[in-house]
Amino acid sequence: MDAPVVLISLAGAGLVCAAAASVSFFYGVWTLGAVLALAAVYAGLSAASFAYTTRRGKFAVWRKLLEEQRLTGDERVLDIGCGRGIVLIEAARRLHRGRAVGVDSWRAQDQSGNSASVTRSNARVSGVEDRVDILTADMRQLPFADASFDLVLSSLAVHNVAEAEGRRQAVREGLRVLRPGGTLLFADFQYASEYAATLRGAGAHDAKTRNLGWRFWYGGPFFATYLVRATKPRASESSGMYTRHRQ
Ligand SMILES: C[S@@+](CC[C@H](N)C(=O)[O-])C[C@H]1O[C@@H](n2cnc3c(N)ncnc32)[C@H](O)[C@@H]1O
């Protein structure tokens, strides 16, 4: 479950509003009752949308995104902030000779029950453990050499870095470890245009964002998830801007 506190708050708000609406109707305070009933419906629908996205919707969207990459099966794929491994494992299923590498710092407030051992066990149950590596690392300082991966992915992870400069650092790290000509796909419900601007500033001239649709709403259309897609320029197209700059 992503951000469990948010889902509990939405569901709790729905229940409180529904109870208050019932009391208002009981005492004949019709206008207040109607407003509270509408608020209860809105909070309930938001909670349902959030729960659907985190349990089902994002899986479907990522499966489609990975299909669109037309992987040959021998790529090296990195999932930044892999959590319990939904994207990592979907990528690994398509890598018969390649490797899927997941990094995370395992913050429980961002996803319930996330840990390296849980993700490893999910990979084992899914039959892909032999092609998956799981590491503990901060996305702002990835423990990989430049150009180590063919495809760099991230799902709902970079927004968890509170400071804008930290998020920019994480995005630049994603581009640094990508090989020239490789693709970067970051999905997030916040800061997508910031990521795209950072990628352009780091030399990825084709960085684009798009709305991933209702399956990836974290509580309704106001909390839609956007995909940021970019390719790393080949040596002949770039000025070497994306090599690591330590802070
Ligand atoms: C909402 S979860 C998403 C997990 C997974 N990508 C998914 O879509 O199911 C966000 C993940 O980002 C991780 N995370 C947060 N800050 C991080 C950081 N600075 N470095 C690495 N991982 C981080 C959290 O531990 C959490 O597992």
Side-chain angles (χ1 to χ4, degrees), residues 2-3 58 62 79-87 103-108 110-111 114 137-140 154-161 216 218:
D2 298 332
K58 72 173 177 181
W62 270 107
D79 181 8
I80 297 176
C82 64
R84 299 172 65 117
I86 69 135
V87 178
V103 295
D104 204 294
S105 58
W106 318 113
R107 291 172 16 125
D110 298 338
Q111 188 173 63
N114 59 355
D138 191 307
M139 63 175 83
R140 290 164 287 189
S154 183
S155 175
L156 276 306
V158 181
H159 74 268
N160 290 304
V161 178
F216 227 138
Y218 276 92

